[in-house]
Amino acid sequence: MPPADTNLYLVGFMGTGKSTIGRQVAKQLGFAFLDSDHEIEQAQGRAVARIFAEDGEARFREMERAYIETGHPDQKCVVACGGGLVVPPGRLELLRSRGIIICLHAPIETIIQRTMHASHRPLLEVAERESRLRELFAQREEIYRRTGTMVLTDGRPLREIVTHVLRVYRQEAAHSKK
Ligand code: S3P
């Protein structure tokens, strides 16, 4: 397929703006925008929080893997990936085989602010949300760093971030063999 049709996968911690930015980038590219959490919820007829409660996190991670393997078109998509999608062993390689990966990044203080009042993330339904976020962020930071080009989403206008992501995507897609 021509490089310009290569899928783009946005990864990164919760609250880094994957959906907001992904939607705008998809619009600019004329691609479909897909959010892995939303797609899994639609297919399951249940919210992510219920899947975690009823089937457990491990089962949800398998749903994420299946979604990346076979659950979406293999070209012309921008996929906002749930924050933990890239964490299990082998997932990064799987994503790389499917397209270009860009990692959205923000400092932990910003992530705490952005996620403080949201109620749809099962991993954050704990008494000490802030320490949970710091712990998860520290555990995952190294993994995210290995995924691909990092784009900072803190303290910059949305338009500028979208332009940056588009520039990285176009450069990498031009050199991609996918
Ligand atoms: C998760 C992130 C969430 C969602 C689930 C688990 C994680 O997605 O997939 O609650 O493990 O970081 P967002 O990154 O879109 O919040």
Side-chain angles (χ1 to χ4, degrees), residues 103-171:
C103 183
L104 301 186
H105 173 72
I108 184 66
E109 304 303 334
T110 303
I111 286 170
I112 290 167
Q113 293 305 317
R114 288 182 186 165
T115 55
M116 217 32 160
H117 302 293
S119 60
H120 62 282
R121 293 182 174 101
L123 293 179
L124 302 186
E125 292 310 308
V126 292
E128 286 297 323
R129 185 177 280 205
E130 186 174 328
S131 25
R132 178 82 173 123
L133 279 164
R134 288 184 191 280
E135 182 185 81
L136 268 177
F137 190 81
Q139 279 168 12
R140 292 178 175 178
E141 211 173 359
E142 249 332 283
I143 299 172
Y144 293 129
R145 272 187 207 291
R146 287 203 306 269
T147 58
T149 303
M150 312 268 285
V151 171
L152 182 68
T153 63
D154 186 44
R156 308 168 71 187
L158 179 61
R159 194 169 20 87
E160 189 184 306
I161 304 165
V162 169
T163 306
H164 188 170
V165 169
L166 283 167
R167 189 171 66 241
V168 173
Y169 168 77
R170 289 190 171 117
Q171 261 167 17

Side-chain angles (χ1 to χ4, degrees), residues 17-33:
K18 293 165 293 194
S19 300
T20 309
I21 292 156
R23 210 170 270 115
Q24 299 287 323
V25 169
K27 206 172 173 185
Q28 299 284 328
L29 289 170
F31 283 16
F33 171 73

